[in-house]
Amino acid sequence: MTIHAGEPRNPTIEPPRGGVLHVVDAARYSAAGSRRLFRETAARLELAAGIGIALAYLWTGAALWHWVVSAFLLALVLAAEALNTAIEVLCDRVSPEWSQAAKDAKDLGSLAVALLLMATGGFVLLVLFGLI
């Protein structure tokens, strides 16, 4: 068994717990995923852009629904970034050598993020220019 960077030395699989402990475990896994996501430069830049958007909205007096839609879109961007990162991690693990299939998977994940960034940016520009 090969140990890769970031993997525990003695990995164990914990059986799922039931009831409220399942919710606690799920929250812990989500927090670990969030910590992993924000090791990615792209995710940190997207969060910084979200802060910049919030400042611009404060400056321009954007309506509440603009804030809500923008927060939803930012959440979608970060969700896509998390899935893209998961795809990249899995591709690198399963296919450490170059392969067209791994490249295609990574490129498609990147496209998903780019499309959401364009939709978010378009919405924000429409708000900032007073078109909606």
Side-chain angles (χ1 to χ4, degrees):
M1 177 174 162
T2 303
I3 301 294
H4 294 274
E7 291 183 9
R9 287 268 170 212
N10 296 313
T12 59
I13 298 174
E14 297 178 21
R17 300 189 296 180
V20 76
L21 293 178
H22 178 78
V23 175
V24 169
D25 290 343
R28 190 179 58 179
Y29 301 144
S30 294
S34 180
R35 286 190 300 275
R36 173 59 184 88
L37 176 63
F38 286 105
R39 289 191 344 231
E40 295 292 316
T41 300
R44 292 191 308 271
L45 288 171
E46 290 153 358
L47 187 59
I51 293 167
I53 290 165
L55 292 173
Y57 281 5
L58 283 171
W59 181 263
T60 61
L64 177 61
W65 76 272
H66 296 141
W67 286 84
V68 171
V69 171
S70 293
F72 179 76
L73 288 170
L74 178 61
L76 286 177
V77 166
L78 291 173
E81 192 66 60
L83 291 171
N84 184 44
T85 299
I87 289 167
E88 290 176 354
V89 168
L90 283 173
C91 284
D92 291 346
R93 170 81 170 141
V94 172
S95 181
E97 72 287 344
W98 186 91
S99 76
Q100 187 62 50
K103 180 186 181 315
D104 290 345
K106 290 178 174 188
D107 289 349
L108 288 166
S110 181
L111 173 62
V113 174
L115 291 171
L116 277 168
L117 285 170
M118 286 188 290
T120 303
F123 179 79
V124 170
L125 288 174
L126 290 172
V127 171
L128 293 178
F129 285 109
L131 300 173
I132 56 172

